[in-house]
Amino acid sequence: MRKGERVTAPLVSVTGLTVHHGSAPILQDVDFSIAPGEIVTIVGPNGSGKSTLLRAVLGGLRPSAGCVTRRAGLRLSYVPQRLVLDATLPMTVARFLSLPHRVTPEATGEALARAGVPGIGTRQMAALSGGQFQRVLLARALIAQPELLILDEATAGLDQQGAASFYRQIEQVRTQTGCAILMVSHDLHVVMSASDRVICVNGHICCEGTPEVVAEAPIYRALFGEGTQGALALYRHHHDHTHGPQTDQQPGSGHDHGASCGARTTPQGADE
């Protein structure tokens, strides 16, 4: 939550979330919540369970244990990591935004402007650059006027400058609409300053905290490899435990606004 804001009921509460893939634990005993208007970034190495966590928040999977509770009537939108369209399919941006439900030209124009690509409604989807395509996906998500916007590696494939520009747009979206934002990212050096809170996941929550401006990040290099020298990790990070091998899954797009709960159990081999 940002400074000066009064405490309000969370949009989403995750309590004791545990998810298995077969007998292997993907996430163990995860607890966190998302407040209205808050930007939360989830980070972690490949296979750490980040996308699985998003899928649980979206309601696309039933946890093995624990609950995901979404506020009644919560308006939620999702921007995927990528969307593949047939390049030979003639489809304008405006037509794409009107699928599956027709959207007025006014709503289309407003969404594109908020996504930072005004006036491209007549362009062909196949002719867009990677950055423009992601902005259109963002515009599509904004049409629903979400209270919570979820993004899964939305800058994958963009260069650092394009990613930084996209994240600046996300900050503007929060300012203009007041919606909360939950996103997964590996772009720590450009995304952290946009976050109110960062949650580091590696099968469970390793740490979470308010971002800080930090110039050299030994912990980031420890998690993501020594080749990340010079990147910024703008958060407090403390490890007092070890990690076992984890697997990850890609998120689905189901939206079940309510609670997704599993039996509260302590599976064998739990990573404490």
Side-chain angles (χ1 to χ4, degrees):
M1 178 172 293
R2 289 171 289 176
K3 291 181 180 179
E5 291 185 338
R6 61 188 179 87
V7 176
T8 57
L11 300 177
V12 174
S13 295
V14 177
T15 306
L17 179 71
T18 297
V19 178
H20 283 77
H21 179 59
S23 60
I26 301 173
L27 292 171
Q28 292 278 153
D29 200 26
V30 171
D31 295 282
F32 77 98
S33 62
I34 304 169
E38 185 179 29
I39 297 181
V40 178
T41 298
I42 298 173
V43 300
N46 290 333
S48 61
K50 302 183 302 296
S51 292
T52 296
L53 181 54
L54 286 196
R55 187 178 175 187
V57 171
L58 286 164
L61 62 79
R62 183 177 179 85
S64 306
C67 284
V68 178
T69 304
R70 291 167 291 278
R71 195 176 71 183
L74 177 66
R75 298 191 306 275
L76 185 155
S77 289
Y78 172 61
V79 179
Q81 182 179 114
R82 62 179 63 87
L83 179 67
V84 179
L85 295 179
D86 186 342
T88 65
L89 182 66
M91 181 180 295
T92 66
V93 169
R95 176 60 177 157
F96 174 75
L97 295 180
S98 285
L99 295 176
H101 305 294
R102 184 172 297 278
V103 177
T104 66
E106 293 76 18
T108 295
E110 180 180 358
L112 290 173
R114 282 189 169 160
V117 281
I120 69 167
T122 59
R123 295 274 302 276
Q124 290 290 320
M125 290 292 295
L128 300 179
S129 68
Q132 289 172 330
F133 194 96
Q134 287 304 110
R135 301 285 185 118
V136 170
L137 293 183
L138 175 59
R140 182 183 174 92
L142 293 176
I143 285 174
Q145 298 181 329
E147 297 168 282
L148 175 60
L149 177 64
I150 296 181
L151 305 98
D152 186 7
E153 296 277 10
T155 60
L158 302 184
D159 60 21
Q160 183 172 330
Q161 183 177 357
S165 177
F166 187 89
Y167 289 127
R168 285 194 296 270
Q169 197 67 40
I170 290 296
E171 289 186 87
Q172 291 184 28
V173 165
R174 193 264 296 270
T175 298
Q176 293 169 356
T177 69
C179 74
I181 295 165
L182 175 65
M183 55 185 167
V184 162
S185 178
H186 281 146
D187 300 317
L188 304 191
H189 50 303
V190 293
V191 72
M192 292 302 220
S193 61
S195 305
D196 297 311
R197 186 157 48 100
V198 176
I199 299 174
C200 182
V201 174
N202 196 11
H204 56 283
I205 293 181
C206 304
C207 56
E208 62 178 299
T210 303
E212 298 177 0
V213 178
V214 177
E216 183 74 13
I219 297 299
Y220 175 53
R221 294 200 304 270
L223 281 173
F224 294 91
E226 290 298 323
T228 58
Q229 291 184 6
L232 302 182
L234 310 180
Y235 65 113
R236 288 183 293 273
H237 195 308
H238 302 286
H239 279 277
D240 58 2
H241 48 265
T242 58
H243 302 286
Q246 303 290 344
T247 58
D248 204 352
Q249 294 176 302
Q250 293 300 314
S253 58
H255 297 170
D256 175 21
H257 307 315
S260 301
C261 301
R264 290 304 301 268
T265 61
T266 304
Q268 294 294 321
D271 185 10
E272 298 295 341

